[in-house]
C-alpha cells in the first residue's frame, strides 16, 4: 500500500492573512511602462487585488504591496500575517514589518501554501477573457489600464467571509451601483464628444475616436476613454 502525506490548514490559522505573488511577465510592456501585475489575496474579505508594476525590482514590489495594503486599510481591514513567495527582497520585508505584520515565506515550488497562487489563476482568466473580447484593433500596450475593471469583475461575484451577504468588492469598496457607474466591454471602440469651445476650428470633427478602458468612479454615468491622438484618458 502507498501512504500519501497531505497538509491540512486550519481555518483559524488563515484569519487576518494576506498572500502575495507575481504572475509571469506580461507579453507586452504597457504604455505606462508596466510589465507585471502584483497580486494580493486577502482571506478575510476574500478579495483579490491586482496592481500593475514596472518590474520585479524591490522598489516596485514595495509599491505594489503598498497600493494593495492601502485598499485594505481604507476598508478598515487589518492584516496580521503576510504569506509570500520565496522570491523576496529585504525592502519588501521591511515594508511588511512597518505595518506591524508578521510574515511567512512559503516552501519553494509548493503552491498550496500560498493562496495567492489560486487567486492568480482566477485573475488571469478574467484578464485573458477580457483581452479576447476587445476590438480587433485595440492597442495591446493599453492592457494595464484595464485592471481597475478586472478587479471589480473578479471581486463583485465573490462573497466576503466577513459578511457573506456582501460581495468581496463591497467589503473593501463602496457598494457598486451600475446606474451611477455603468460598465462597457473593455477595449470597445468609442467616440468621445468634443465640445464646441475646445474644437480647433468651426469645421473640426465633433468627436474623437478612442478606446473604453474602464469606469469613472467619481463622476456620474461617465466612461473612461483613451484617445490615442492625445495620448491620454478622457
Amino acid at each position: 500500500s502507498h501512504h500519501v502525506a497531505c497538509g491540512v490548514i486550519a481555518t483559524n490559522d488563515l484569519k487576518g492573512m494576506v498572500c502575495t505573488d507575481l504572475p509571469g511577465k506580461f507579453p507586452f510592456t504597457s504604455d505606462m511602462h508596466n510589465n507585471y501585475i502584483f497580486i494580493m489575496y486577502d482571506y478575510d474579505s476574500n478579495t483579490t487585488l491586482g496592481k500593475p508594476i514596472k518590474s520585479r525590482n524591490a522598489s516596485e514590489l514595495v509599491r505594489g504591496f503598498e497600493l494593495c495594503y492601502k485598499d485594505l486599510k481604507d476598508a478598515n481591514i487589518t492584516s496580521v500575517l503576510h504569506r509570500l513567495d520565496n522570491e523576496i527582497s529585504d525592502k519588501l520585508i521591511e515594508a511588511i514589518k512597518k505595518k506591524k505584520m508578521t510574515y511567512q515565506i512559503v516552501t519553494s515550488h509548493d503552491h498550496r501554501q500560498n493562496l495567492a497562487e489560486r487567486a492568480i489563476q482566477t485573475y488571469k482568466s478574467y484578464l485573458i477573457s477580457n483581452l479576447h473580447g476587445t476590438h480587433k484593433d485595440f492597442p495591446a500596450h493599453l492592457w494595464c489600464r484595464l485592471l481597475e475593471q478586472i478587479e471589480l469583475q473578479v471581486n463583485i461575484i465573490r462573497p466576503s467571509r466577513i459578511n457573506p451577504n456582501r460581495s468581496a468588492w463591497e467589503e473593501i469598496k463602496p457598494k457598486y451601483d451600475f446606474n451611477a457607474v455603468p460598465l462597457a466591454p473593455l477595449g470597445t471602440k468609442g467616440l468621445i464628444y468634443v465640445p464646441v469651445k475646445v474644437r480647433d476650428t468651426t469645421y473640426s470633427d465633433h468627436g474623437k475616436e478612442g478606446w473604453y478602458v474602464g469606469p469613472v468612479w467619481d463622476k456620474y454615468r461617465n466612461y473612461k476613454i483613451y484617445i490615442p491622438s492625445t495620448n491620454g484618458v478622457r
Side-chain angles (χ1 to χ4, degrees), residues 12-229:
N12 289 338
D13 295 338
L14 301 178
K15 290 182 178 180
M17 184 181 73
V18 295
C19 298
T20 60
D21 202 358
L22 292 182
K25 185 178 180 181
F26 200 82
F28 303 97
T29 299
S30 78
D31 68 316
M32 300 175 75
H33 310 293
N34 292 308
N35 288 287
Y36 292 91
I37 305 173
F38 187 94
I39 297 291
M40 175 181 282
Y41 174 74
D42 176 60
Y43 179 82
D44 291 350
S45 64
N46 198 23
T47 302
T48 299
L49 303 172
K51 309 299 179 186
I53 59 175
K54 294 178 174 60
S55 68
R56 301 178 70 100
N57 291 341
S59 59
E60 282 295 288
L61 292 176
V62 171
R63 187 171 70 86
F65 165 73
E66 294 285 358
L67 289 171
C68 292
Y69 182 87
K70 183 180 184 302
D71 281 356
L72 297 178
K73 193 67 176 177
D74 289 346
N76 295 317
I77 295 176
T78 302
S79 305
V80 296
L81 171 64
H82 188 151
R83 189 173 291 173
L84 61 164
D85 190 72
N86 61 308
E87 296 180 14
I88 57 172
S89 70
D90 292 338
K91 286 185 178 180
L92 180 56
I93 295 300
E94 285 303 313
I96 294 170
K97 288 180 177 179
K98 286 181 180 179
K99 309 299 185 189
K100 302 188 184 300
M101 298 166 63
T102 58
Y103 68 92
Q104 295 174 343
I105 301 172
V106 302
T107 306
S108 179
H109 307 298
D110 189 349
H111 292 176
R112 295 173 301 173
Q113 295 181 349
N114 188 351
L115 300 183
E117 293 287 354
R118 187 64 187 87
I120 284 173
Q121 292 180 39
T122 301
Y123 191 95
K124 284 176 65 178
S125 294
Y126 274 83
L127 177 57
I128 291 169
S129 63
N130 273 276
L131 289 173
H132 278 289
T134 61
H135 188 278
K136 62 182 180 64
D137 296 326
F138 179 74
H141 61 78
L142 299 181
W143 65 266
C144 75
R145 298 176 181 269
L146 310 181
L147 300 190
E148 282 188 80
Q149 184 164 318
I150 298 295
E151 198 169 273
L152 169 64
Q153 292 176 351
V154 170
N155 293 303
I156 201 167
I157 62 171
R158 301 159 65 90
S160 166
R161 288 193 178 89
I162 298 172
N163 183 347
N165 293 319
R166 289 198 292 258
S167 67
W169 172 266
E170 192 179 344
E171 197 64 67
I172 65 166
K173 299 286 186 178
K175 186 174 181 179
Y176 177 69
D177 180 0
F178 183 84
N179 290 322
V181 186
L183 302 178
L186 289 168
T188 297
K189 196 170 188 178
L191 190 68
I192 186 170
Y193 174 70
V194 178
V196 175
K197 291 183 179 180
V198 295
R199 293 176 194 165
D200 296 330
T201 71
T202 57
Y203 291 96
S204 296
D205 291 337
H206 293 190
K208 290 187 177 181
E209 290 187 343
W211 306 98
Y212 171 77
V213 293
V216 179
W217 304 106
D218 56 352
K219 292 184 179 180
Y220 183 69
R221 298 192 65 80
N222 275 252
Y223 295 94
K224 192 180 295 181
I225 303 292
Y226 178 89
I227 303 176
S229 61

